Amino acid sequence: MARTQKIDDMEKPSHSRPVTGLLLSGGGARAAYQVGVLKALARLRRAHEPRRRSSPFDIITGTSAGAINAAALACGADDFDLAVRRIAAVWENFETSQVYASDLFSVLRSGARWMGLLSLGWMIARWRRIKPRSLLDNAPLEQLLHELVPLERLPGLIAQGHLQALGVTASSYSSGHHVTFFQGADHLTPWVRSQRLAVREQIGYAHLLASSAIPFVFPAQELALHGGSEYFGDGSMRQTAPVAPVIHLGAERILVIGSGRMHEPRDKPIAQPQTSYPSLAQIAGHAMSSIFLDAMAVDIERIRRINQTLSLVPPEARQASALRPVELLLISPSRRLDQIAASHAKALPPMVRNLLGSLGVSSSAADVKGGALTSYLLFEAAYTRELVALGQADTLRQTAEICRFFGWSGDPGETAPVHEERRRDPLRV
């Protein structure tokens, strides 16, 4: 049942500070890194603003698995620490079976059957009228969403001023449009750009399932749109401007939490280039990285160039332009997540491991190329906990920059330990 509480002056959002936005990118199991960042932010915020409970973010947007984390955080906007603990309790104790069916029968029904059709040929499949929808069955994820994301709380939080907007982005297989569904304050208006548009909508679990439907891996979701219906998949597909939604919704400063590439160390030079043909797993991992990681890096670079250009324009001329500078802070992994995933590949359930093995993924910690695909599907605590810890460490290394971004000043005194005691029931609202 949704919780209600009286809001005193300390809990009401401050309108004197810039409108602050949070963008959580996609990446399947890689989104565990975001949880570590959020835990570190909660720790720093407690040290500087110990009496404030509400979220430091006015606008929260997300794509793919980041959309799920964004929605969970938005639904706890009146108690940021509790919301972070709820999310962390899931990600730090994850099992693959909470996201997709990994038992023998389910894998044979979906993945193995799909792979069999590929080997037999589409002619036989057409003759038998078999239409496989996805490699894996993510039916368990919907139950998890009902436990983790109390969407019924959103209208009240928006009305009370704890949250200005939640935005969730998905990609339409039907029309090719990239759609941001948002729920927020009355003054917000939808926008339309080339192949991109926004729709004011009450966010439901179907939107979260659509945004996180990794192509080929999870099934598309049917959503209502403009009086009809379309099938949607992962919002990271065809996402040419991932930062745009949070800007359109009114953010003046934006924290972006990435899931790879931007701060990761470059690959070491290979003495002997690979001469064998790449495996399906290597190709799939490369394609997923292109979907989930590349557009974010390009968009951030573009925004920084625009900011630099605007700084050279006289103030009077700048006022005549539709462009405005946006303060941007990026936190992203300092280590290669595919390498971490490769070291935990054995944690996958046996049937899933065998299925991925047919694509060329091995259980060897040295198989970094196969680890790219594994890094998106490895919803196991051994892997997610390491990403959470990495997110915390990377964030705390940027403490000074983060404090400047939020305007936290002065001596915070003793900060809370990283591994804080959870409340008895972190999933209860």
Side-chain angles (χ1 to χ4, degrees):
M1 181 176 294
R3 180 189 57 184
T4 59
Q5 67 179 55
K6 183 178 180 180
I7 307 172
D8 57 25
D9 291 337
M10 176 56 68
E11 290 301 308
K12 289 181 181 178
S14 170
H15 297 288
S16 60
R17 60 176 172 80
V19 178
T20 306
L22 173 65
L23 169 58
L24 301 178
S25 61
R30 286 171 167 248
Y33 177 84
Q34 301 168 359
V35 181
V37 175
L38 293 173
K39 288 184 69 174
L41 288 176
R43 172 186 175 185
L44 293 173
R45 208 279 294 271
R46 283 195 304 273
H48 289 86
E49 297 181 333
R51 296 181 60 194
R52 183 169 293 280
R53 294 176 61 189
S54 58
S55 173
F57 302 105
D58 307 292
I59 300 164
I60 303 176
T61 64
T63 303
S64 192
I68 295 174
N69 284 341
L73 198 62
C75 290
D78 57 337
D79 193 333
F80 183 68
D81 285 359
L82 177 58
V84 172
R85 282 197 296 270
R86 286 167 52 86
I87 299 168
V90 172
W91 281 95
E92 292 179 333
N93 298 282
F94 238 139
E95 294 181 359
T96 297
S97 59
Q98 292 175 277
V99 179
Y100 54 88
S102 56
D103 58 280
L104 173 62
F105 176 75
S106 297
V107 172
L108 288 176
R109 183 180 57 189
S110 58
R113 178 183 176 188
W114 197 64
M115 294 297 295
L117 289 175
L118 286 176
S119 61
L120 290 173
W122 290 107
M123 185 176 294
I124 297 178
R126 184 177 180 181
W127 175 67
R128 295 183 61 186
R129 299 185 183 279
I130 297 175
K131 296 180 179 180
R133 294 193 170 192
S134 62
L135 186 64
L136 297 169
D137 175 11
N138 67 340
L141 178 58
E142 185 170 2
Q143 177 60 38
L144 177 62
L145 292 179
H146 282 273
E147 298 173 4
L148 178 63
V149 189
L151 289 172
E152 70 276 3
R153 301 195 73 228
L154 267 183
L157 293 170
I158 294 170
Q160 294 167 353
H162 289 295
L163 184 72
Q164 182 168 308
L166 166 66
V168 171
T169 301
S171 183
S172 172
Y173 290 117
S174 305
S175 65
H177 286 121
H178 199 256
V179 183
T180 297
F181 299 93
F182 73 93
Q183 185 171 345
D186 293 338
H187 71 273
L188 298 174
T189 57
W191 61 91
V192 177
R193 297 291 184 272
S194 176
Q195 294 188 331
R196 293 184 286 126
L197 60 103
V199 175
R200 178 184 286 276
E201 187 73 81
Q202 182 172 336
I203 302 298
Y205 296 107
H207 295 95
L208 303 182
L209 289 169
S211 182
S212 58
I214 299 174
F216 300 108
V217 178
F218 296 143
Q221 292 290 318
E222 186 177 10
L223 297 176
L225 185 68
H226 297 155
S229 64
E230 298 184 12
Y231 281 92
F232 285 81
D234 200 293
S236 296
M237 294 186 292
R238 306 187 72 176
Q239 191 174 38
T240 57
V243 186
V246 70
I247 295 177
H248 283 297
L249 290 171
E252 298 168 312
R253 61 183 183 188
I254 304 168
L255 173 63
V256 178
I257 305 179
S259 57
R261 287 259 170 106
M262 288 167 280
H263 287 166
E264 287 181 348
R266 295 180 180 273
D267 289 329
K268 295 180 180 179
I270 302 176
Q272 295 294 329
Q274 178 180 346
T275 55
S276 59
Y277 193 83
S279 67
L280 285 176
Q282 186 177 345
I283 295 172
H286 182 77
M288 285 192 181
S289 295
S290 299
I291 292 172
F292 288 112
L293 307 180
D294 291 346
M296 180 68 72
V298 171
D299 201 26
I300 288 175
E301 182 179 341
R302 178 167 53 235
I303 291 172
R304 286 174 171 167
R305 284 201 308 268
I306 292 173
N307 283 343
Q308 183 178 12
T309 301
L310 288 175
S311 68
L312 304 175
V313 177
E316 59 275 8
R318 192 186 309 170
Q319 291 178 356
S321 171
L323 296 175
R324 56 184 174 86
V326 176
E327 185 178 358
L328 198 66
L329 175 62
L330 169 67
I331 301 177
S332 64
S334 59
R335 294 174 56 195
R336 289 182 57 88
L337 302 192
D338 47 1
Q339 289 181 335
I340 298 176
S343 69
H344 293 291
K346 290 183 178 179
L348 280 167
M351 286 305 302
V352 177
R353 195 164 62 242
N354 291 338
L355 176 63
L356 295 182
S358 66
L359 297 176
V361 175
S362 76
S363 298
S364 171
D367 182 25
V368 178
K369 291 182 172 60
L373 176 59
T374 305
S375 70
Y376 297 97
L377 303 177
L378 187 51
F379 292 94
E380 292 289 337
Y383 173 60
T384 58
R385 286 181 181 177
E386 188 164 351
L387 297 198
V388 169
L390 178 63
Q392 287 181 277
D394 286 347
T395 303
L396 294 177
R397 274 194 292 270
Q398 294 181 239
T399 294
E401 191 175 358
I402 290 169
C403 289
R404 284 194 298 270
F405 177 83
F406 285 104
W408 296 334
S409 59
D411 182 8
E414 185 75 19
T415 58
V418 172
H419 300 289
E420 60 189 348
E421 182 179 356
R422 295 192 186 101
R423 295 186 181 182
R424 181 169 298 178
D425 186 2
L427 290 181
R428 185 175 181 179
V429 182

